Amino acid sequence: MMMMKKKHTLSISHHYCFLLSLFSIFKSSISTMPHNYSDALTKSLLYFEAQRSGRLPHNQRVAWRDHSGLTDGLEQGVDLVGGYYDAGDHVKFGLPMAFTVTMLSWSIIEFGEYIAGAGELEHAMEAIKWGTDYFIKAHTSPNVLWAEVGDGYTDHYCWQRPEDMTTSRQAYKVDENNPGSDIAGETAAAMAAASIVFRKTNPRYSYLLLHHARQLFEFADKYRGKYDENMEVVKNYYTSVSGYNDELLWAAMWLYKATDNHRYLSYVIDNAHRFGGIGWSITEFSWDVKFAGIQVLASQ
């Protein structure tokens, strides 16, 4: 769990790890089905609906939730309504949120037919789009990405429903003067991966996601820096311990997978050794460390 977490609940990125293992079990057990993994999958996806921020849709299945965070970004003159709360609290942390969307997208790419067989493909795609719609809003210009709304210091010491919250809704961004290659790279990866998911069903949206992914990758690569060094409010919650090199490679791999443009593959090949992560000592795959995922994509 994260540091200084008063509320002992799963973050969206930690919940995703459970969901990914569930997808794998569901695929391997499809013939015998000793347990009702379809029901487990349904309940897992409901978690993301419970974490929604913003104006909820008419088909919201978690009926005890209501609209919240409807003025997010107002003080900064930008629309930041939407996205996901992190872990039973009301902060919208961009880095784990983006990783979650990347991995949800990867799940559909790898296990889509099994998710569809369980009748959950539409809900899984809705979970992705709830995140990417927010990222589009948060990416207000090529070199600006709003990376967090709210702060853990006020939020984690206050128990409230999001519908009633009175804690800080200050928004924080990365830009040319205050770069965040890790969060910009992960958000680029999320949008590139999601563009593959929506390529057939919503090609216009898929193209829009790719447009943002390309811009975010260029921003992340050109203006390099750790986001937590330029946005100290995140330090005690989602510090980028691994740095940003893994996110640059991760984003490039997903852009290559989404576009088949060898420029992105060449970027990975040319930088893999210098950026690290090509050895056999990788022991973690998480919102912070992406090297293991890069190796899997590269091996494919």
Side-chain angles (χ1 to χ4, degrees), residues 33-54:
M33 297 296 284
H35 304 288
N36 192 343
Y37 290 109
S38 294
D39 184 59
L41 178 59
T42 297
K43 288 180 169 61
S44 297
L45 288 169
L46 281 172
Y47 174 86
F48 294 99
E49 292 192 25
Q51 295 297 99
R52 284 173 172 173
S53 177

Side-chain angles (χ1 to χ4, degrees), residues 3-250:
M3 294 175 281
M4 292 185 66
K5 269 291 182 190
K6 184 182 78 154
K7 302 165 185 175
H8 299 292
T9 50
L10 286 175
S11 70
I12 54 174
S13 59
H14 285 89
H15 177 80
Y16 172 75
C17 294
F18 164 75
L19 191 58
L20 181 61
S21 65
L22 182 62
F23 288 147
S24 300
I25 294 169
F26 186 79
K27 178 181 177 181
S28 62
S29 304
I30 195 74
S31 59
T32 56
M33 297 296 284
H35 304 288
N36 192 343
Y37 290 109
S38 294
D39 184 59
L41 178 59
T42 297
K43 288 180 169 61
S44 297
L45 288 169
L46 281 172
Y47 174 86
F48 294 99
E49 292 192 25
Q51 295 297 99
R52 284 173 172 173
S53 177
R55 186 168 295 278
L56 303 184
H58 70 278
N59 63 345
Q60 170 82 10
R61 295 178 295 166
V62 182
W64 48 266
R65 284 298 321 284
D66 203 352
H67 311 315
S68 62
L70 299 183
T71 60
D72 284 357
L74 183 63
E75 292 184 16
Q76 290 75 35
V78 60
D79 179 6
L80 296 176
V81 176
Y84 288 107
Y85 298 122
D86 178 59
D89 53 44
H90 311 144
V91 186
K92 296 193 290 199
F93 290 107
L95 183 57
M97 191 193 309
F99 174 71
T100 300
V101 170
T102 306
M103 299 304 293
L104 279 169
S105 299
W106 197 2
S107 296
I108 289 181
I109 293 167
E110 295 288 340
F111 306 114
E113 66 177 293
Y114 301 99
I115 301 171
E120 291 296 336
L121 182 59
E122 182 178 349
H123 292 137
M125 293 177 72
E126 287 174 354
I128 293 168
K129 194 171 186 295
W130 194 266
T132 52
D133 283 350
Y134 174 75
F135 298 147
I136 290 170
K137 289 181 175 183
H139 185 214
T140 51
S141 65
N143 296 335
V144 175
L145 176 65
W146 292 87
E148 180 176 331
V149 179
D151 71 79
Y153 300 107
T154 60
D155 182 272
H156 288 192
Y157 291 96
C158 180
W159 287 92
Q160 291 176 311
R161 302 188 316 147
E163 292 83 0
D164 304 323
M165 62 183 165
T166 57
T167 51
S168 170
R169 301 311 288 169
Q170 176 71 36
Y172 305 87
K173 66 180 179 179
V174 293
D175 55 26
E176 295 176 11
N177 298 318
N178 300 283
S181 299
D182 26 33
I183 189 167
E186 183 58 66
T187 309
M191 289 181 152
S195 75
I196 301 172
V197 172
F198 293 104
R199 183 178 292 162
K200 293 182 179 179
T201 59
N202 195 342
R204 181 174 295 183
Y205 188 67
S206 174
Y207 179 82
L208 177 62
L209 292 175
L210 263 184
H211 172 71
H212 282 278
R214 289 188 180 102
Q215 285 190 344
L216 280 165
F217 175 71
E218 296 302 324
F219 167 48
D221 191 38
K222 184 176 181 180
Y223 300 96
R224 295 185 182 181
K226 284 181 60 181
Y227 88 125
D228 55 84
E229 292 180 350
N230 297 303
M231 208 176 78
E232 291 199 1
V233 69
V234 79
K235 268 191 178 295
N236 288 325
Y237 303 94
Y238 284 103
T239 303
S240 182
V241 177
S242 69
Y244 54 77
N245 286 338
D246 53 334
E247 278 85 10
L248 290 175
L249 296 173
W250 180 238

